[in-house]
């Protein structure tokens, strides 16, 4: 066996996550699950707004997470001015921090490869494995495909989940039809991303994403009443046919799509990453498989973030 040189083993794994007001416990549980399940040298980039940063810092420094390596990055929502169409149906999807994944090179320093994770995930595997995802030459990102797992298909059918481009883009609009993307194309979920920063900058991915955000403000090309809100459609357009696959076990999703659609326990034990995308979050009630989430949760030392449980 060819032993790796020590420099290689010590490579830093940058993980970008947001800490949003009202959902900070989510970020804390995700970070705690990653940190507890790896020996790798993880550097967390925790992105927040000016008002929320002191709280997340205190939470980390006053818990067992004080051992982690982290940088707190302030995100200035002015970056998004004029790029988001106000949508009354699900205002939570317009939170500025939903868009930090568009700006990965601005948030991280000098890394070639970066992992981005939504806050409503739990990592049960070794994050090193996800980091080792191979990106094909010319690809700026890897995602998990929405048609990749048979067990997920059952789930998708039972909760009427969107898993094609038609669920995210408005095909009545000429600009969408002009893309020449078949509406039945499988979508992907940008809640877990392995990204190559060199390619991202070279292809000016951030600029391309912003262009579609701006076009949506003018022409209403996708609505958050469809599928997964407003951060997914620009990515579906910009990365169409130009992304590498993430192992499906590294993104088991739809745990938040319905308060009663459940996966089998055995399947969930094998899953490397669980994602409660959808409305039913594991810190709220009702929701499913909350035990798997709560296992990693660390109570808020300031007492502001509380779990909602049937008996609370």
């Amino acid at each position: 066996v060819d032993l790796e040189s020590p420099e290689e083993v010590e490579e830093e794994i940058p993980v970008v996550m947001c800490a949003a007001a009202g959902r900070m416990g989510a970020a804390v549980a995700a970070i705690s699950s990653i940190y507890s399940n790896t020996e790798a040298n993880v550097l967390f980039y925790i992105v927040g707004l000016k008002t929320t940063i002191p709280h997340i810092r205190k939470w980390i420094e006053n818990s067992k997470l004080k051992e982690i390596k982290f940088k707190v990055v302030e995100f200035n929502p002015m970056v998004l001015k004029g790029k988001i169409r106000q949508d009354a149906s699900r205002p939570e999807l317009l939170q500025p921090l939903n868009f930090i994944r568009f700006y990965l090179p601005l948030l991280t320093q000098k890394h070639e490869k970066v992992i981005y994770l939504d806050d409503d995930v739990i990592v049960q595997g070794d994050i090193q494995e996800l980091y080792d995802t191979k990106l094909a030459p010319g690809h700026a990102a890897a995602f998990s495909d929405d048609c990749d797992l048979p067990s997920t298909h059952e789930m998708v059918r039972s909760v009427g989940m969107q898993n094609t481009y038609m669920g995210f883009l408005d095909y009545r609009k000429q600009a969408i039809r002009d893309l020449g993307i078949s509406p039945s194309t499988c979508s992907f979920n940008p809640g877990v991303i392995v990204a190559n920063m060199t390619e991202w900058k070279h292809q000016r991915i951030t600029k391309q994403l912003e262009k579609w955000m701006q076009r949506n403000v003018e022409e209403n090309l996708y609505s958050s009443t469809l599928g997964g809100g407003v951060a997914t459609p620009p990515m579906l357009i910009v990365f169409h046919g130009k992304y590498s696959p993430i192992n499906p076990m590294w993104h088991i999703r739809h745990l938040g799509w319905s308060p009663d659609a459940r996966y089998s326990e055995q399947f969930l034990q094998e899953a490397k990453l669980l994602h409660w995308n959808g409305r039913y979050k594991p810190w709220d009630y009702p929701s499913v498989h909350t035990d798997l989430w709560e296992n990693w949760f660390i109570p808020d030392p300031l007492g502001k973030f509380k779990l909602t449980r049937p008996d609370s």
Side-chain angles (χ1 to χ4, degrees):
V1 181
D2 180 10
L3 289 173
E4 290 175 292
S5 62
E7 301 82 44
E8 264 174 27
V9 177
E10 265 318 289
E11 188 176 10
E12 217 165 42
I13 298 182
V15 175
V16 176
M17 295 196 67
C18 77
R23 305 175 50 126
M24 255 177 252
V28 166
I31 291 167
S32 138
S33 71
I34 293 165
Y35 178 65
S36 307
N37 287 312
T38 189
E39 294 293 306
N41 177 14
V42 181
L43 170 59
F44 292 96
Y45 282 91
I46 301 168
V47 186
L49 302 177
K50 204 186 206 107
T51 49
T52 58
I53 283 174
H55 187 184
I56 192 78
R57 199 180 273 287
K58 203 160 221 126
W59 202 327
I60 289 169
E61 287 165 359
N62 288 291
S63 71
K64 64 176 190 197
L65 292 181
K66 59 177 173 287
E67 307 295 315
I68 70 171
K69 276 171 55 182
F70 71 105
K71 287 191 166 100
V72 174
V73 182
E74 185 190 324
F75 184 69
N76 182 353
M78 288 311 287
V79 172
L80 300 170
K81 200 167 166 52
K83 299 189 185 81
I84 307 178
R85 167 184 279 275
Q86 290 308 315
D87 191 309
S89 66
R90 285 188 70 186
E92 78 274 13
L93 295 171
L94 296 177
Q95 293 295 348
L97 294 174
N98 258 340
F99 298 93
I100 66 171
R101 66 194 101 188
F102 289 18
Y103 297 96
L104 296 176
L106 292 178
L107 301 170
T108 58
Q109 294 153 341
K110 306 187 289 290
H111 301 282
E112 170 67 10
K113 205 175 191 186
V114 170
I115 293 173
Y116 162 84
L117 298 176
D118 274 351
D119 61 359
D120 49 0
V121 307
I122 288 295
V123 173
Q124 305 189 122
D126 182 345
I127 196 86
Q128 178 80 51
E129 246 180 74
L130 180 62
Y131 183 75
D132 291 340
T133 299
K134 293 261 182 290
L135 273 70
H139 284 179
F143 304 99
S144 214
D145 215 296
D146 281 335
C147 301
D148 57 12
L149 265 190
S151 59
T152 314
H153 295 187
E154 260 88 278
M155 192 75 157
V156 167
R157 275 199 294 277
S158 71
V159 295
M161 193 17 223
Q162 308 291 356
N163 65 351
T164 63
Y165 272 57
M166 199 167 74
F168 295 91
L169 304 176
D170 185 348
Y171 275 84
R172 294 167 307 190
K173 299 285 159 71
Q174 195 56 44
I176 296 300
R177 291 204 299 266
D178 287 347
L179 290 167
I181 301 173
S182 156
S184 61
T185 304
C186 256
S187 49
F188 56 80
N189 182 305
V192 176
I193 308 173
V194 182
N196 176 321
M197 292 296 97
T198 308
E199 279 298 336
W200 192 290
K201 288 181 244 181
H202 174 66
Q203 297 178 32
R204 305 184 60 185
I205 297 288
T206 298
K207 278 273 164 284
Q208 293 189 54
L209 291 165
E210 288 186 324
K211 181 191 89 174
W212 283 102
M213 289 171 83
Q214 246 138 0
R215 286 198 69 174
N216 181 54
V217 171
E218 293 152 21
E219 305 171 47
N220 200 11
L221 303 176
Y222 45 84
S223 147
S224 65
T225 47
L226 293 164
V230 285
T232 300
M235 297 201 99
L236 291 178
I237 295 170
V238 170
F239 286 103
H240 174 251
K242 288 204 293 265
Y243 65 91
S244 297
I246 286 176
N247 172 343
M249 294 310 279
W250 270 99
H251 195 173
I252 300 304
R253 47 206 178 279
H254 316 315
L255 277 82
W257 266 86
S258 144
D260 40 34
R262 303 180 72 90
Y263 285 113
S264 82
E265 290 305 317
Q266 189 205 339
F267 177 68
L268 291 176
Q269 306 254 280
E270 291 163 16
K272 309 279 192 177
L273 182 147
L274 304 172
H275 186 187
W276 279 262
N277 58 317
R279 288 171 192 262
Y280 300 97
K281 302 300 186 197
W283 53 91
D284 275 337
Y285 180 82
S287 53
V288 293
H289 303 300
T290 46
D291 51 322
L292 292 172
W293 182 86
E294 223 172 299
N295 201 8
W296 304 107
F297 174 67
I298 297 167
D300 180 1
L302 301 183
K304 289 187 197 167
F305 181 96
K306 296 185 175 64
L307 302 182
T308 313
R309 294 296 180 246
D311 45 9
S312 59

